[in-house]
Amino acid sequence: MTCVWSRSAMADQFADSANNVVIEEVNKGLNPGMIVLIVVATFLLLFFVGNYALYVYAQKTLPPRKKKPVSKKKMKREKLKQGVSAPGE
């Protein structure tokens, strides 16, 4: 049994099938990738907002940092640069 197709029969078949396009329904829920992205973004946002809040709180409440004491050797060198004789010399 042989099947002979003519050009017009094939053209008609494809023309008819063009109207039978399956339209996929859009998934109405959130896909898992989007949920993970939202959770990670939320944690990052909370982390940065929390750090900023702690930074502002620390700036208001903590006293300023103390400077390191200058060593006697460095003090002597600075006074010599300025032309003042170091004490005890």
Side-chain angles (χ1 to χ4, degrees):
M1 185 165 147
T2 60
C3 188
V4 178
W5 289 91
S6 66
R7 284 186 187 248
S8 64
M10 283 185 77
D12 289 342
Q13 180 187 4
F14 286 120
D16 290 342
S17 67
N19 294 333
N20 296 334
V21 175
V22 177
I23 299 173
E24 292 184 22
E25 242 182 80
V26 177
N27 192 2
K28 304 218 179 200
L30 290 174
N31 61 352
M34 185 62 76
I35 293 172
V36 169
L37 184 68
I38 290 171
V39 168
V40 170
T42 304
F43 277 119
L44 276 174
L45 186 67
L46 284 173
F47 175 76
F48 285 120
V49 169
N51 273 350
Y52 179 72
L54 284 173
Y55 171 76
V56 170
Y57 174 75
Q59 291 296 316
K60 288 181 182 176
T61 58
L62 292 177
R65 294 176 66 179
K66 292 181 182 177
K67 292 183 180 179
K68 282 185 176 179
V70 181
S71 70
K72 290 183 181 178
K73 192 175 182 181
K74 283 185 182 177
M75 228 154 132
K76 194 174 191 182
R77 193 177 309 140
E78 281 295 318
K79 286 187 179 181
L80 283 174
K81 278 184 186 175
Q82 292 175 359
V84 180
S85 64
E89 287 185 1

